[in-house]
Amino acid sequence: MKICIYGAGAIGGYLGVQLARAGADVSLIARGAHLAAMRERGLTLLAGGEEHVVHPRCTDNAAELGVQDYVIITLKAHSITGVIEKMQPLLGPHTRVITAVNGIPYWYFYKHGGSYENSTLESIDAGGRQWRELGPERAIGCIVYPATEIEAPGVIRHVYGNNFPLGEPSGEITPDVQRLADLFVEAGMKAPVLDNIRDEIWLKLWGNVCFNPISALTHATLDVICTDPATRALSRAIMLEAQTIAETFGVKFRVDVERRIEGARKVGAHKTSMLQDLERGRPMEIDPLVSVVQEMGRLTGIATPALDSVLAMVTQRARIAGLYDGVAAPTDPRALAVA
């Protein structure tokens, strides 16, 4: 089974080590000092007091690798469009693309049913390029729950978690998704195959849509955001707006807002990914986590005043810092492109 992990940073590197240890034929796409270190010394995973070193193929040129059975995308979501052309040598007629990214994926409306079937969202897939060039029929959804970090070039530290729920857009349990899930389990991870992956996508996004931008604006950690009365109330307002939108598309939430906020509070003094990116001078995932929810609200005619205000402020902050190059959601729902 040939697997390419495209974007072998913290999460991608963790997956790469675990899958290689399970005997998969793994290749990693990376760049810079991290790539150089992996080529020279292999890829090291620090987890549970143990150290594991593997020596998979590592490159910055996908053309060296050929067609894969699975391509696992672990890039930040806003980076995907920029590397679509480079991914093409990996894609054959039977290749599956696993979107292990935060937020709404490009394939969201594939086999969705209803009036939005086969629609694309401009805020996450400008011009529908991912839809056309990666293909929604290749997609397998994946939600990333573990926390990992690059401790040094070529060295990944696992902080907590090993759960990677998987699912076909159609909800079917196909041989492709089951084979991948079995490999993840063999590699020491949890990979439940879900019959409605979109519910799980929204459950994670539910927190990201509010906690991430609020943290970038306030520099507060999760425990502070969820405890301070003002930021907790703002988080709740944004989450209720997002819930109304998601339920319009048939999504079911298995917990209520207060339980979701409490779950985040219990994580403790954790900096969200958006705050970490701001502090490190890296582009922030504003569009796949926040703008897309606003766009879906406009599509359905649902007002999002709390989200709109926070989105405007965090986008302006990112632009001033030179960390935003995304696209604004269309003001007219008819601007939604249909593939």
Side-chain angles (χ1 to χ4, degrees):
M1 187 184 301
K2 297 182 68 176
I3 299 176
C4 175
I5 297 174
Y6 206 109
I11 287 294
Y14 170 66
L15 281 170
V17 173
Q18 297 295 80
L19 293 172
R21 292 177 63 214
D25 183 359
V26 178
S27 301
L28 308 179
I29 303 285
R31 62 184 181 180
H34 188 52
L35 172 60
M38 290 192 294
R39 281 172 162 168
E40 182 180 350
R41 300 185 295 273
L43 177 59
T44 299
L45 174 65
L46 307 176
E50 297 182 352
E51 179 177 306
H52 305 283
V53 182
V54 298
H55 296 269
R57 283 182 301 276
C58 302
T59 183
D60 57 1
N61 181 8
E64 297 176 0
L65 304 177
V67 171
Q68 304 288 304
D69 296 305
Y70 297 95
V71 175
I72 304 176
I73 300 176
T74 51
L75 297 166
K76 290 293 183 72
H78 56 259
S79 304
I80 296 174
T81 299
V83 297
I84 292 175
E85 188 173 345
K86 295 178 180 178
M87 287 185 188
Q88 294 306 308
L90 305 171
L91 306 179
H94 303 295
T95 303
R96 301 304 304 271
V97 173
I98 293 83
T99 51
V101 298
N102 285 325
I104 300 293
Y106 77 93
W107 53 262
Y108 187 85
F109 286 114
Y110 178 66
K111 295 194 174 180
H112 179 275
S115 59
Y116 301 107
E117 176 80 14
N118 290 342
S119 298
T120 61
L121 293 157
E122 191 67 14
S123 55
I124 57 167
D125 187 16
R129 279 199 63 199
Q130 293 180 50
W131 184 282
R132 292 194 311 273
E133 298 175 42
L134 294 180
E137 70 283 352
R138 286 195 176 99
I140 293 174
C142 177
I143 294 89
V144 176
Y145 282 117
T148 58
E149 57 190 31
I150 298 178
E151 183 157 295
V155 180
I156 306 298
R157 180 172 292 279
H158 176 256
V159 181
Y160 65 81
N162 65 348
N163 193 19
F164 293 88
L166 302 169
E168 293 276 7
S170 65
E172 299 170 273
I173 311 299
T174 64
D176 284 348
V177 73
Q178 189 62 61
R179 186 162 52 246
L180 184 65
D182 291 345
L183 178 59
F184 272 43
V185 171
E186 186 179 347
M189 298 174 287
K190 296 177 182 177
V193 179
L194 307 181
D195 60 8
N196 195 335
I197 192 71
R198 294 176 182 84
D199 286 0
E200 198 73 17
I201 288 171
W202 274 96
L203 185 63
K204 185 174 183 185
L205 178 59
W206 210 15
N208 284 337
V209 69
C210 58
F211 301 139
N212 270 273
I214 291 172
S215 70
L217 291 168
T218 64
H219 287 250
T221 52
L222 280 180
D223 55 338
V224 175
I225 293 171
C226 298
T227 302
D228 178 83
T231 51
R232 185 180 178 109
L234 179 56
S235 298
R236 185 176 188 276
I238 294 172
M239 291 173 76
L240 288 173
E241 291 173 358
Q243 180 177 359
T244 301
I245 293 165
E247 289 176 345
T248 300
F249 291 108
V251 171
K252 294 179 174 58
F253 291 83
R254 65 174 186 266
V255 299
D256 62 20
V257 169
E258 293 302 326
R259 183 175 171 187
R260 182 66 176 85
I261 294 175
E262 276 300 293
R265 182 188 64 78
K266 291 176 182 177
V267 172
H270 173 70
K271 293 182 179 181
T272 70
S273 61
M274 197 177 284
L275 176 55
Q276 291 181 48
D277 286 341
L278 175 64
E279 291 180 342
R280 296 170 184 173
R282 301 184 305 207
M284 297 187 287
E285 289 183 287
I286 294 173
D287 288 336
L289 299 184
V290 190
S291 303
V292 68
V293 179
Q294 181 192 66
E295 183 177 359
M296 294 174 84
R298 290 174 174 176
L299 178 65
T300 56
I302 295 170
T304 54
L307 184 148
D308 293 348
S309 297
V310 168
L311 175 58
M313 289 187 288
V314 76
T315 301
Q316 183 64 11
R317 175 151 195 175
R319 283 178 172 147
I320 291 170
L323 303 177
Y324 180 75
D325 57 1
V327 297
T331 55
D332 184 344
R334 291 171 298 180
L336 186 85
V338 178

